[in-house]
Amino acid sequence: MGTAYIGLFNFTLARQGGGKFILRIEDTDRNRYVPDSEKRIFQMMQWLGLRPDESPLQGGPNGPYRQSERFDLYGEYARQLVASGHAYYAFETADELSALREAAQAEGRVIAVPSRELDPAAAQARVDAGEAAVIRLKVPREGETVVNDRLRDPIHFQNREIDDKVLLKADGFPTYHLANVVDDRLMGVTHVVRAEEWITSTPIHVLLYRAFGWDEPVFAHMPLLRNSDKSKISKRKNPTSVEWYQGQGFLPEAMLNFLATMGWTHPDGLEVFDLEEFARVFRLEDVTLGGPVFSQEKLRWYNGKYLREVLTEDEVAKRLHDFLAGQKVDLPLDDYFRSVVRLMTPRIEVFSEFLDKTPYFWSEEYPVTEKAQAAIDGARELLPELAATLKNLPTFDAAAIKAAFAAFAEEKGLKLGKVMPPVRAAVAGTMESPDLPDLLATLGRDRVVARISKLGA
């Protein structure tokens, strides 16, 4: 979900500025590599309609777009920094580093790496002799590094509090810091919009840009999505996978609309708007940093608004049918299906609720709630007459059915509240269903009469 959120704002900024939206796969951390994650990212972006201009799928002038396919580049740039004195070879073992970290923590300072003090020529000789080494950034000991963020005042980091990060591991793989900066530079990236959790890494990136003699891009760190208790959004408190929401039958337009309001408000107060409108009025400077709350309840509200007010009835029916087909549910996309969808759209927020609320439309084997059974049992003597009344109507539409109920109640000296509920219970097995005359008209005379007659026998 965080990828979708940040992707939306990057996509929009690229469109506004006539630029390009680049999707790069940063897969050099082999310990965290998940084989199917790349495919899932592509599928998510396609579902949301956030089509990149350049990516491993589309290709482009700045490829390749998988960092694992750019492997040889990073070593060259890391060694360039060593040659210029902005980085150094480090030979400490894992055990030695662990001891150094413990000492640093005890003294309240960053880790001091002994290899930093080695003579560069001696260090190079050890590397040339085949000794394993990483390449670390040589952070200045004095002064400060300032991060200019479009959404914040300048952020000052004291250099003495920045440790010498590894840029290139002993196996030749780059760390995120080096690969990110090199690729952004080579791909012509002008704006870096990412989550605020990366702020503490940005001084490293600024130092790298300066070490290479390159201009920095514009940085903007978006506020993190939060749970209702203001903690960082996590799968323990909220489903964080877009696939989960897709599987529940949320609409991509509603999802994007909702994500656009995370940290930003439409200047005219609009709550429902599309991507085109978002791109028309969005300004990066208007993003607020209060920690937007990712509320499933609000997202469901947005989805319901799209079902009822944005999409046409035909669009809802078609998309719902496609969703059900994806769930291996085989229902014909016919007039009956469209009628049921029309009745149920005001009563659902997401597509996954549809079948649970409509079993009586598709089968004679539908559950009967305890409340519905009580309504049936309390009116068994009326059901045969009601069945006969409905069977003999000249026309079986909602208006005729409504008039028939009113006439029947008047003839029996009963209130409609004694006449209609048992019919609802008999034909639907629940007291929660669409307006009864519309429901009966949709089910059709034969099905309605048969159900009422069966339970009234």
Side-chain angles (χ1 to χ4, degrees):
M1 189 59 68
T3 302
Y5 165 60
I6 298 299
L8 167 63
F9 286 88
N10 276 278
F11 175 89
T12 301
L13 283 170
R15 291 294 175 273
Q16 284 184 330
K20 290 186 176 181
F21 173 43
I22 299 175
L23 175 59
R24 186 172 67 225
I25 301 300
E26 299 181 337
D27 58 353
T28 56
D29 188 344
R30 307 313 287 178
N31 292 326
R32 299 177 60 191
Y33 180 71
V34 180
D36 71 336
S37 60
E38 179 180 314
K39 178 181 177 182
R40 293 173 60 202
I41 291 171
F42 294 151
Q43 290 174 336
M44 177 189 73
M45 298 302 242
Q46 181 178 9
W47 181 67
L48 290 171
L50 301 178
R51 179 181 171 84
D53 297 295
E54 300 180 28
S55 78
L57 292 184
Q58 280 100 335
N62 296 299
Y65 297 92
R66 293 181 184 89
Q67 288 184 332
S68 59
E69 298 173 1
R70 303 168 66 85
F71 183 85
D72 293 338
L73 281 172
Y74 308 118
E76 295 175 13
Y77 280 94
R79 287 185 287 274
Q80 180 181 320
L81 291 177
V82 173
S84 67
H86 292 98
Y88 60 92
Y89 289 111
F91 302 91
E92 285 72 19
T93 66
D95 289 342
E96 288 171 335
L97 287 171
S98 179
L100 289 167
R101 286 194 190 93
E102 285 185 20
Q105 289 173 358
E107 297 174 18
R109 57 174 173 77
V110 298
I111 183 173
V113 182
S115 291
R116 178 182 171 117
E117 308 306 326
L118 290 175
D119 176 72
Q124 185 65 57
R126 291 171 66 176
V127 171
D128 292 343
E131 189 172 346
V134 302
I135 294 179
R136 288 182 177 271
L137 177 66
K138 197 170 189 176
V139 178
R141 287 285 185 245
E142 305 296 327
E144 64 179 16
T145 298
V146 179
V147 171
N148 293 301
D149 186 298
R150 183 65 68 85
L151 304 181
R152 296 165 171 80
D153 293 331
I155 309 169
H156 298 258
F157 293 86
Q158 300 304 309
N159 289 338
R160 65 178 179 274
E161 297 175 359
I162 304 173
D163 58 349
D164 292 351
K165 296 292 187 186
V166 173
L167 302 178
L168 196 74
K169 290 176 275 190
D171 60 5
F173 276 93
T175 61
Y176 169 79
H177 305 295
L178 177 67
N180 176 274
V181 168
V182 169
D183 285 344
D184 279 355
R185 171 68 180 187
L186 296 182
M187 292 182 180
V189 170
T190 57
H191 291 67
V192 174
V193 181
R194 57 193 179 193
E196 64 184 356
E197 62 189 331
W198 292 105
I199 287 178
T200 54
S201 294
T202 307
I204 302 294
H205 303 169
V206 171
L207 287 168
L208 283 169
Y209 277 104
R210 292 177 184 171
F212 284 120
W214 298 338
D215 292 334
E216 300 168 29
V218 173
F219 290 108
H221 292 87
M222 297 291 293
L224 291 175
L225 300 180
R226 302 283 179 180
N227 297 308
S228 56
D229 63 1
K230 294 297 184 177
S231 61
K232 179 183 174 183
I233 188 172
S234 65
K235 63 182 68 176
R236 289 186 299 104
K237 298 182 180 180
N238 259 317
T240 57
S241 167
V242 171
E243 292 162 327
W244 185 87
Y245 294 93
Q246 189 176 359
Q248 290 294 305
F250 284 87
L251 300 169
E253 300 97 321
M255 176 68 75
L256 289 173
N257 193 157
F258 171 69
L259 289 175
T261 66
M262 297 288 98
W264 179 83
T265 303
H266 193 288
D268 297 330
L270 294 181
E271 288 190 291
V272 177
F273 49 84
D274 59 17
L275 264 181
E276 184 177 344
E277 172 64 12
F278 181 46
R280 187 183 71 83
V281 300
F282 174 70
R283 295 192 317 156
L284 190 59
E285 304 83 57
D286 294 336
V287 171
T288 57
L289 303 175
V293 174
F294 187 97
S295 164
Q296 273 200 60
E297 182 179 349
K298 186 68 172 181
L299 176 56
R300 288 173 61 86
W301 177 86
Y302 267 107
N303 209 73
K305 292 282 280 187
Y306 270 78
L307 289 177
R308 291 184 274 278
E309 299 177 16
V310 178
L311 300 185
T312 66
E313 289 181 356
D314 283 345
E315 285 177 316
V316 173
K318 178 64 168 62
R319 293 212 204 177
L320 175 55
H321 188 265
D322 289 344
F323 171 80
L324 293 174
Q327 305 291 317
K328 310 300 182 186
V329 177
D330 185 20
L331 292 174
L333 181 58
D334 54 14
D335 289 342
Y336 180 67
F337 180 83
R338 290 187 176 89
S339 296
V340 175
V341 173
R342 188 180 308 114
L343 278 183
M344 295 306 301
T345 298
R347 308 182 73 86
I348 63 173
E349 301 293 338
V350 293
F351 286 154
S352 58
E353 297 173 341
F354 181 75
L355 283 182
D356 288 341
K357 292 188 175 185
T358 61
Y360 50 88
F361 281 111
W362 319 112
S363 171
E364 297 307 306
E365 301 298 323
Y366 50 90
V368 179
T369 67
E370 185 176 338
K371 202 170 183 180
Q373 189 61 56
I376 294 168
D377 294 340
R380 286 201 183 273
E381 72 283 356
L382 291 178
L383 291 177
E385 293 183 70
L386 283 165
T389 298
L390 293 170
K391 182 178 181 179
N392 293 313
L393 284 179
T395 59
F396 201 74
D397 56 36
I401 293 168
K402 184 176 181 179
F405 279 132
F408 184 91
E410 183 176 358
E411 178 187 341
K412 298 293 184 181
L414 298 170
K415 293 182 178 179
L416 281 173
K418 294 292 184 180
V419 174
M420 296 174 72
V423 173
R424 184 188 302 276
V427 302
T430 176
M431 306 309 290
E432 299 177 4
S433 66
D435 183 68
L436 186 60
D438 289 326
L439 168 63
L440 300 184
T442 299
L443 283 169
R445 187 196 307 266
D446 292 345
R447 189 182 282 122
V448 167
V449 171
R451 289 181 182 182
I452 298 174
S453 299
K454 177 183 176 182
L455 291 173

